[in-house]
Amino acid sequence: MTNNQNIMILNGNDIGISKIELSKGELYIVDEIGKYSLCVHIYNWKEINSAEIGKRQNIEFNEYCFGENNESALIWPTDVYIEKKTKDSIIFYFKFEEFSDACYMNKRNCFDIELNSLEVKVNINYKDVQENSIVYRF
């Protein structure tokens, strides 16, 4: 898996991806320098696995947490889909454009930066499973 198939764009700036981890319960993505992360909690594998190859399917996940310096905020997406490219390859796409109702889980009730937009797209290949998870490091 090459990193050029994956994107993480924060406030219009490509911040790259250093790690993608998919397990039974979550998809976890970390930016290039380890400052920002997105954790998507997954509960609906039956719906994901039944998606048709070659078609985008809008899908809702249980929870979306964006992190800055290991502090988290619950955020809600404006666009979410999966797309099975092949039987073993799947794209997860998330776009966030509205943060007025973000629930910050720190005492400051904010981050160091103002959140304006976040776009994340990752391609996962099920053939890369090892010990019940898939981990890519770039």
Side-chain angles (χ1 to χ4, degrees):
M1 177 72 51
T2 61
N3 197 21
N4 63 3
Q5 299 173 329
N6 306 298
I7 62 167
M8 189 171 197
I9 300 172
L10 177 62
N11 295 342
N13 298 311
D14 184 353
I15 60 172
I17 294 176
S18 65
K19 179 181 177 183
I20 300 169
E21 184 172 352
L22 178 65
S23 65
K24 184 178 179 182
E26 68 183 26
L27 174 61
Y28 184 67
I29 303 126
V30 180
D31 79 310
E32 259 180 7
I33 62 171
K35 183 174 183 173
Y36 300 105
S37 63
L38 177 67
C39 182
V40 179
H41 296 268
I42 301 173
Y43 65 95
N44 46 353
W45 281 108
K46 185 175 180 180
E47 186 180 1
I48 293 167
N49 291 330
S50 66
E52 291 184 48
I53 293 173
K55 293 190 177 183
R56 288 184 181 180
Q57 180 175 332
N58 292 341
I59 208 164
E60 289 296 323
F61 295 96
N62 196 35
E63 188 175 278
Y64 309 85
C65 292
F66 181 72
E68 178 190 66
N69 296 322
N70 295 318
E71 294 183 324
S72 296
L74 291 172
I75 57 176
W76 291 266
T78 52
D79 189 16
V80 176
Y81 68 80
I82 61 164
E83 182 179 359
K84 275 193 172 175
K85 300 302 273 180
T86 67
K87 182 182 87 171
D88 296 316
S89 178
I90 187 167
I91 291 173
F92 290 86
Y93 177 82
F94 311 95
K95 188 171 189 175
F96 305 85
E97 295 178 312
E98 176 57 47
F99 297 94
S100 63
D101 56 354
C103 179
Y104 294 90
M105 293 179 265
N106 61 19
K107 289 181 181 181
R108 295 179 295 138
N109 201 32
C110 66
F111 284 151
D112 293 340
I113 61 159
E114 181 179 341
L115 293 174
N116 296 313
S117 65
L118 175 65
E119 182 178 9
V120 177
K121 180 178 173 183
V122 294
N123 190 350
I124 304 290
N125 191 322
Y126 291 154
K127 289 181 179 180
D128 295 330
V129 169
Q130 292 182 1
E131 298 178 19
N132 297 321
S133 68
I134 298 170
V135 178
Y136 301 115
R137 294 183 193 279
F138 306 101

